[in-house]
Amino acid sequence: MTPVEVWLDGNKLGVDIWHKKYQRNGETFDEWLDRVSGGDWAVRELIVDKKFLFGGRILSNRGVTDEKVTYSNCYVISPPDDNLESIYDCVKKLARTYSYGGGCGIDISNLAPAGAKVNNQAKTTSGAVSFMDTFSQVTQQIGQNGRRGALMISIDCTHPDLEKFILVKQDLQKVNSANISVRVSDDFMRAVEQDADWELSFTRKETGEVISKTVKAREVFKALCYSNWNYAEPGILFWDLIRHYNMLNEYDDFSYAGVNPCAEEPLPAGGSCLLGSLNLSAFVENGEFNFHEFERAVRIAVGALNTVLDEGCEKHPLEEQRQSVRDWRQIGLGVMGIADMLIKLGLRYGSEESIAVCDKIGFSLAQTAIEESLNLAMLHGCFPKCDKEKITKSPYIFCNIKSELIVKEIAEYGLRNSQLLTIAPTGTLSTMLGISGGIEPIFSNSYTRKTQSLHGKDTVYTVYTPIVEKYMKEHGISDEKLLPEYFVTAKDITPEERIAMQGIWQDHIDASISSTINLPNSATVDDVYKIYMTAWKEGLKGITVYRAGCARDGVLVDSTEKPKKPVRTIGLERHLVTGCGSLHVCAFFDEEGNLKNTYLSKGSSGGCNNFMIGLSRMISLAAREGVGIHAIVDQLKSSGTCPSYAVRRATKCDTSDGSSCPVAVGNALIDMWNEIKKTEKRTENITANLCPECGAELVEEMGCVTCKHCGYSRCG
């Protein structure tokens, strides 16, 4: 085997990743180690031992002189002001940053909402949300060595376009090259708890015009939860905790402008962050965690990231980025392999014992990193905007430094960095090393892979997660069902356990944590609601959920489940007026026009929401079991007349077609079904070009029609 194959224990996928993403100009593994370590033998040793890796941009770009590259994985662009010049300046900044290899975050809360008056031919603005596709498109267009840029778009929970923002990605053709998140405040979450009114308001600086509306906080939050349930976005950023739990919360002149694409890095305008991660599983020796070696590695890693920060300062694409790095000196040291570490320790992920161990390791990480940043400040000076007294008063320092002597030294010398720790996804890095990524549990003990043999036949085989495969070989196990109980996967861990694990790490992380809770297809909107409420109460800075089989279905398939071809659904919505008030009806149809799911939600006044949830579940269950829409609607229309409905019809004359809520829902479903059928007739020539096996686009080749995704073919 070659040296890189030896380093990666023959992991072919890992070797391929190294060659494709990190090797430069045919360099040898030793030459790569020299380049990436910058000649620092302590750093080189940590990499060889797989105890530490820089972030991907450093592994690829450090020492490169023949290209315009950055060492930072992520940036936050200055939020655009409320004018076209600033908006398109932002587009220019995104494009330039992507061309150097960096991902970006932007917040659009400064942009006026739809309907605000403007002094041009349009008369009124199309709103903040309308520019999201523009930002998304530039992300798609600028290539980065075989990949595309990454973008996070966020908006504040007080913005009048909030509801539009929540719904935007329910159109599967829009904003496909960006993640999106809502910045929610504690006040908003309390309003959700209390089912209180919530004021959405925006004041235009240029004109003084105030655009405002009052909504029910809980209804907006439910809409967000529904969008997460079926579309995996937007995520939630608990903005008050982001603002208050860090080392700069006492500053009057500092604010976070947004977060990076995976949300683990809140940053100021122009801010960037250098990433690196410690592989916790590599510090387990003979069933014990080696704290002494871990703390040594933390010190080396903090020093190494500071060295890279200095080397790369002038390499940032924009002057605002270079200035921000000089002023604040953020680094992002994190961890990966948490799940693998717990398995080696014989602990179940999410158990009380595992939480206690992670608490101890997290405290060690924070304390050591702060002390090393202090040592560097003593040698080289603190970061330029360091206010030493204010840092010592931060809640983060209070929770993670118990030595009065260290606090006094920080007050005298300051710190070299304004931000130190994070937990990034580490997807590519962890895959290359064959370990679990970031804070995430193992997704599955095994996966299915499909390859095509030389004879054109599909071969489906099982691939075990490396730590599972190693354990099974060492213990002579041939069936993963015989693994010890601490070999748990994402589907075995409750959301509460998952939140508890993230919460204990957040106590010791001054930045944030990239985190997704994977849910089974059977999870409900109410489950998502409870997860977000629990996450807020447990002190998380941000989180999102991903439900298997949602409209934006993922790429991983658990080997214990039969692979299914993707189902494309078309969603429609109707707003009804009933005897009790407003009623929202969402329905989802497959490409043949068959009803698949419904979601009912009452408006801000009257009605029983539990009844609506129960009715929508029963309609969805019947539809998925093959009951036709006409039979479902026939039963709904048999429910009779509601007195409240009759009174409102007689007095206000504004009720929707029907005599009760179930009847009105039935009429709305038929109306949407008819719309789908009309659309089908108009698009027959389009849908004929989709693969009947997997839904991918068909390609004509030499008289035959072929699917490049699954291999289906037919005569043209």
Side-chain angles (χ1 to χ4, degrees), residues 50 78 365 395 487-488 529 658 697:
K50 292 182 280 193
S78 298
L365 170 67
F487 275 87
V488 291
Y529 183 103
E697 199 167 82

Side-chain angles (χ1 to χ4, degrees), residues 262-317:
C262 293
E264 78 273 11
E265 281 293 320
L267 294 166
S272 80
C273 196
L274 294 164
L275 299 178
S277 294
L278 295 149
N279 172 17
L280 295 187
S281 69
F283 295 94
V284 179
E285 300 172 4
N286 302 315
E288 298 287 336
F289 190 84
N290 188 333
F291 280 92
H292 177 75
E293 175 61 14
F294 176 65
E295 289 166 5
R296 184 184 78 89
V298 172
R299 294 184 186 280
I300 294 170
V302 169
L305 286 168
N306 273 278
T307 299
V308 173
L309 185 149
D310 291 327
E311 285 180 18
C313 190
E314 297 308 313
K315 293 180 177 289
H316 299 290

Side-chain angles (χ1 to χ4, degrees), residues 374-481:
L374 168 63
N375 292 337
L376 292 172
M378 291 176 175
L379 289 171
H380 306 293
C382 56
F383 66 92
K385 292 209 171 185
C386 181
D387 188 317
K388 301 160 189 175
E389 284 293 334
K390 287 182 178 178
I391 286 180
T392 60
K393 294 177 182 178
S394 73
Y396 178 74
I397 293 292
F398 178 79
C399 289
N400 288 282
I401 295 295
K402 302 304 180 184
S403 166
E404 290 186 10
L405 175 61
I406 296 297
V407 173
K408 287 181 180 178
E409 289 181 332
I410 293 174
E412 182 177 355
Y413 298 101
L415 296 175
R416 188 65 172 156
N417 312 99
S418 69
Q419 193 159 285
L420 282 167
L421 301 175
T422 186
I423 299 183
T426 69
T428 304
L429 298 184
S430 57
T431 300
M432 182 172 73
L433 294 186
I435 59 172
S436 56
I439 197 172
E440 306 293 345
I442 290 175
F443 181 78
S444 181
N445 286 328
S446 60
Y447 306 93
T448 56
R449 291 285 186 267
K450 184 169 73 172
T451 60
Q452 194 173 69
S453 70
L454 294 174
H455 302 290
K457 294 182 179 180
D458 288 337
T459 301
V460 179
Y461 59 99
T462 300
V463 178
Y464 290 103
T465 299
I467 194 168
V468 173
E469 182 178 28
K470 183 178 180 182
Y471 187 93
M472 291 174 70
K473 285 182 178 177
E474 289 177 349
H475 293 81
I477 296 175
S478 58
D479 187 344
E480 63 185 85
K481 293 179 181 178

Side-chain angles (χ1 to χ4, degrees), residues 83-141:
N83 59 73
L84 285 176
E85 291 80 8
S86 180
I87 291 168
Y88 283 93
D89 277 346
C90 183
V91 172
K92 181 173 68 175
K93 292 175 183 178
L94 289 173
R96 177 52 62 208
T97 304
Y98 294 146
S99 74
Y100 278 60
C104 297
I106 55 172
D107 186 82
I108 60 172
S109 302
N110 291 342
L111 303 184
K117 296 175 184 178
V118 292
N119 296 318
N120 60 32
Q121 290 294 306
K123 305 301 181 185
T124 60
T125 177
S126 54
V129 170
S130 67
F131 291 101
M132 292 172 68
D133 247 337
T134 302
F135 299 138
S136 175
Q137 285 166 11
V138 72
T139 309
Q140 173 65 26
Q141 289 162 356

Side-chain angles (χ1 to χ4, degrees), residues 11-55:
N11 174 9
K12 185 179 184 304
L13 178 56
V15 172
D16 288 345
I17 289 172
W18 183 83
H19 281 297
K20 186 175 181 180
K21 289 185 173 290
Y22 305 131
Q23 183 188 31
R24 286 279 187 165
N25 302 318
E27 66 190 340
T28 67
F29 180 61
D30 281 332
E31 289 170 339
W32 176 77
L33 286 172
D34 290 339
R35 175 172 65 82
V36 170
S37 67
D40 186 324
W41 278 92
V43 176
R44 194 182 202 274
E45 180 186 41
L46 287 183
I47 295 173
V48 169
D49 292 341
K50 292 182 280 193
K51 292 178 177 176
F52 168 76
L53 281 181
F54 289 113

